[in-house]
Amino acid sequence: MTNPYTCVLLDLDGTLIDSAPGITATLAYTFEKLGRPIPGPTALLEYVGPPLLHSFETRAGMTEVDARQALAIYRERYLEHGVTNVTAYEGIAELMAAIKASGIPSSLATSKPESLARLALTHLGLMDYLDVMTGASEDEVRSEKKDVVELALRRLAAFGADLSNPVMVGDRYYDVEGAAANGVPTIFVDWGYGSVAEQVGAIAVVSTAPELEALLL
């Protein structure tokens, strides 16, 4: 039996790891430091996953200058207290090990800056399961998911992966839309931060890591 997919792109926050506690706590600190009202827990959760610089502008109504100041405050605090405040979702380590063992190349495809993503995955012992690391640029100029997916595909090609039948795995509509912009279908995981409405456009929805493994392998 042949594997249905030739390479796998994996979102990070809400897909592989639960990073919300560290992110939302750092966001609350950032808003307080800026003298702005701190959004409620539900509103803060909306920031988890999408490009943060863009979210400061669109969700908090900041100017580009203010958003970059907020990002600088956030980044310093997150490096000190938030980046390792993460846990892997149940079954994710086993899933990533199975993908690696199958020989199907995989790449991270996250809107989190690559350095932060690497720190989180290394902390959890998951880094070695990936063949390629792809995330946002450190200044977040490259952070839109469609751009991250495009770069992940180029890096996978350079790695020697067969791009004839790639698949994205994610938990937000940003993943679905960003992958679709590159002609890549998305399997949606419902244990992350996305709503049911965000599942529109996904080719499948899974509720457990074993379900996801069955589709991928």
Side-chain angles (χ1 to χ4, degrees), residues 144-147 149 168 172-184 186 198 200-202:
E144 293 293 328
K145 187 51 71 88
K146 64 181 178 62
D147 297 326
V149 170
M168 176 78 196
R172 301 295 306 270
Y173 73 89
Y174 298 95
D175 301 311
V176 179
E177 293 180 349
N182 289 276
V184 178
T186 297
E198 295 183 60
V200 174

Side-chain angles (χ1 to χ4, degrees), residues 95-115:
L95 169 71
M96 294 180 72
I99 295 172
K100 184 73 172 180
S102 76
I104 300 175
S106 65
S107 174
L108 198 69
T110 177
S111 291
K112 186 189 290 293
E114 289 181 9
S115 62

Side-chain angles (χ1 to χ4, degrees), residues 194-215:
S195 64
V196 172
E198 295 183 60
Q199 299 172 4
V200 174
I203 59 169
V205 178
V206 295
S207 299
T208 68
E211 285 181 40
L212 177 57
E213 182 177 336
L215 289 180

